[in-house]
């Protein structure tokens, strides 16, 4: 793990993305934000009727995280390989022309 990644992991913690079904544990790149979603009681879909709290943050690799997590262990999902890189390496990957 790069020093940048270790600093962010110590400061902001870890999280899991709902879009990948928790295959990787990511390192958060900022503070978690929490907001209340009131829902739409008149909606036809049950998941839109309910109200709930939403927590989110961006990972170092750019993926949006929706669940807080502990650090990766032998029993937990693997660490995200991109989140482990230095900030310069991540920026180079995001700006590389393919």
């Amino acid at each position: 793990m790069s020093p940048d990644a270790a600093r962010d992991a110590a400061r902001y913690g870890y999280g899991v993305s709902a879009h990948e079904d928790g295959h990787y544990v990511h390192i958060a790149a900022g503070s978690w934000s929490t907001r209340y979603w009131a829902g739409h009681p008149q909606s036809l879909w049950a998941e839109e009727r309910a109200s709930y709290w939403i927590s989110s943050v961006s990972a170092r690799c750019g993926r949006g995280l929706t669940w807080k997590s502990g650090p990766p262990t032998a029993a937990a999902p693997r660490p995200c390989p991109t989140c482990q890189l230095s900030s310069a390496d991540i920026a180079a990957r995001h700006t590389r022309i393919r």
Side-chain angles (χ1 to χ4, degrees), residues 19-73:
H19 299 290
E20 339 177 284
D21 296 328
H23 292 295
Y24 288 122
V25 174
H26 298 272
I27 298 173
S31 298
W32 286 82
S33 67
T34 304
R35 62 188 185 282
Y36 182 75
W37 190 70
H40 298 289
Q42 305 301 324
S43 177
L44 298 174
W45 293 274
E47 62 270 11
E48 290 188 5
R49 278 185 241 136
S51 57
Y52 49 88
W53 289 92
I54 300 170
S55 293
S56 62
V57 70
S58 291
R60 287 179 47 84
C61 64
R63 183 166 298 277
L65 306 180
T66 51
W67 300 98
K68 291 183 180 182
S69 174
T73 62

Side-chain angles (χ1 to χ4, degrees), residues 63-87:
R63 183 166 298 277
L65 306 180
T66 51
W67 300 98
K68 291 183 180 182
S69 174
T73 62
R78 299 179 302 173
C80 172
T82 305
C83 286
Q84 305 286 321
L85 299 174
S86 69
S87 297

